[in-house]
Amino acid sequence: MKMLNLIRIALRAMSRNKMRTFLTMLGIIIGVVSVISMLAIGQGSKESIEQQISEMGANMITIFPSGGQQGGVRMDAGSMQLLSVDDAEAIENGAHFVAHVSPFVSGGGQAVVGAYNWPTSMQGVAPAFLDIRKMVVRDGVRFTEHDVRTAAKVCLIGKTVVTNLFPDGSSPVGKTIRFNKTPFLIIGVIEEKGTNTFGQDQDNIILTPYTTMQKRILAIDHLQSIYVSAQSELVSVQAVAEIESILRSNPRLISEGEAKFDVRSQQELISMFSSTSEMLTILLAAIAGISLLVGGIGIMNIMFVSVTERTREIGLRMAVGAKGLHILTQFLMEAIIVSIGGGLIGVLMGVGASALIGKLVGWPVSVSETSIIVSFAVCTVIGVFFGWYPARKAAALDPIEALRYE
């Protein structure tokens, strides 16, 4: 029996019960829409996280003190006074794969301009910090190494600080802002960066020379962390190895053979979030895949009903020469057409649903070709798998008994 003739017979049989055929397809359609939408949400979230981390500086490396024990008490990493400006200079002078180095200290407080005040954080950094974090000064100028050496009371402010302290829209450049009662001259405004992966507002900051922060705000001489950028993403691993080697040569940073510091690159962060996102995507797809399984069971159920209803037809076909293989192929073709038809409609609706979710809810979505191909392939497999047994049952009928069936 020719394939074209098989398809024609299957379509004719399905057209006799259009509503039943549609309802059978509906289970597959819902399953495919669910799978594609869930995969799109998962993939979109993964890409969004990677993009936001990259915007923070894809080749950025952070050095910070690790928690240790002091007097038998486990100390928090933030309270460890280990890193110094000398460590930052050692990295800058000794690491060949490093492009920029910036000491880092920070503290929270109230920023005040006239009658307006706003809770924010002030970060003490070197001029190179702006290059490391890919920050751009929109209005005004950066502070300089001279400002660092003299601990000048100058600062750069983010868009959120500008919005809340200068609601009239006037330019803040050249004006004075008070942070914890200490006056600072605003010399520039940082270009807006938005919210990062962790939900933090990257524009709610004030940047000042790290020496100013140490001497005039925090009254400390140590660093809380050191920010570094590798020459490129490709050499981040080598840069991390160099940094660890340089810092390990300092006995102050080693205790009983263990380093008192941690070095983390953005690549490690991207890898960690990507693996977590992939696990969640697989979980979402597996949950959505249950509806595909239910759709397959629906196909099997309807095919059993169809075999029972058409028992006399099967007997008649066998009586005029149709073989068991022909009957099996005919009913299997019906199951495959239902499954593939539902899959095609489901793919179109799934792509549309994903776009609608992204537009209405604002979630990042990304429909990949792989998810479409996999969904369509699974539909075909489901059609064959769940249609095989009813088709086999039809092919195994005795022609005489089938003709006698009422």
Side-chain angles (χ1 to χ4, degrees), residues 103-136:
F104 181 90
V105 287
S106 69
Q110 288 286 126
V112 180
V113 174
Y116 300 99
N117 68 85
W118 180 251
T120 184
S121 66
M122 177 172 278
Q123 299 177 357
V125 296
F129 183 79
L130 292 136
D131 299 310
I132 296 171
R133 289 291 309 276
K134 296 183 178 180
M135 291 179 170
V136 177

Side-chain angles (χ1 to χ4, degrees), residues 75-332:
M75 303 295 291
D76 179 71
S79 65
M80 301 293 287
Q81 301 178 11
L82 295 173
L83 298 176
S84 67
V85 176
D86 292 338
D87 298 321
E89 291 176 350
I91 294 171
E92 187 170 15
N93 296 328
H96 302 292
F97 293 103
V98 166
H100 302 287
V101 179
S102 172
F104 181 90
V105 287
S106 69
Q110 288 286 126
V112 180
V113 174
Y116 300 99
N117 68 85
W118 180 251
T120 184
S121 66
M122 177 172 278
Q123 299 177 357
V125 296
F129 183 79
L130 292 136
D131 299 310
I132 296 171
R133 289 291 309 276
K134 296 183 178 180
M135 291 179 170
V136 177
V137 177
R138 187 187 66 194
D139 299 320
V141 295
R142 298 180 173 199
F143 50 79
T144 64
E145 289 295 340
H146 175 74
D147 294 324
V148 173
R149 289 193 299 271
T150 58
K153 292 188 287 185
V154 295
C155 69
L156 306 172
I157 61 177
K159 184 67 170 58
T160 301
V161 179
V162 174
T163 302
N164 288 277
L165 294 184
F166 299 91
D168 58 355
S170 62
S171 174
V173 177
K175 297 181 180 178
T176 300
I177 185 174
R178 289 184 175 273
F179 184 81
N180 290 352
K181 299 182 180 180
T182 302
F184 288 84
L185 175 66
I186 302 172
I187 60 173
V189 176
I190 304 168
E191 191 172 286
E192 186 175 0
K193 290 181 72 71
T195 304
N196 66 13
T197 308
F198 309 101
Q200 297 173 329
D201 184 358
Q202 299 182 90
D203 302 311
N204 188 24
I205 59 167
I206 302 174
L207 298 184
T208 193
Y210 67 89
T211 50
T212 307
M213 192 70 184
Q214 285 178 316
K215 297 176 181 179
R216 304 182 186 279
I217 302 296
L218 299 177
I220 60 174
D221 58 4
H222 66 275
L223 302 178
Q224 294 169 348
S225 59
I226 301 171
Y227 280 80
V228 175
S229 67
Q231 291 179 348
S232 70
E233 294 180 47
L234 299 177
V235 297
S236 288
V237 175
Q238 293 92 320
V240 169
E242 277 189 331
I243 291 167
E244 289 180 341
S245 176
I246 290 169
L247 295 180
R248 280 181 175 274
S249 65
N250 188 338
R252 177 172 51 81
L253 299 176
I254 299 294
S255 175
E256 299 179 356
E258 294 293 328
K260 295 182 180 181
F261 61 89
D262 286 317
V263 181
R264 293 288 181 267
S265 68
Q266 292 294 86
Q267 296 303 314
E268 293 177 3
L269 196 60
I270 290 173
S271 177
M272 180 185 71
F273 276 103
S274 293
S275 61
T276 303
S277 180
E278 285 173 2
M279 289 179 61
L280 290 174
T281 301
I282 293 171
L283 178 62
L284 290 173
I287 294 172
I290 294 174
S291 56
L292 269 178
L293 180 63
V294 173
I297 294 172
I299 290 177
M300 179 181 282
N301 181 46
I302 293 302
M303 292 305 297
F304 272 127
V305 172
S306 181
V307 168
T308 303
E309 287 181 346
R310 296 159 61 189
T311 300
R312 286 177 63 82
E313 177 191 329
I314 295 169
L316 182 60
R317 289 183 182 278
M318 287 183 169
V320 296
K323 297 180 180 179
L325 180 61
H326 298 151
I327 301 299
L328 184 145
T329 308
Q330 176 190 337
F331 279 88
L332 192 59

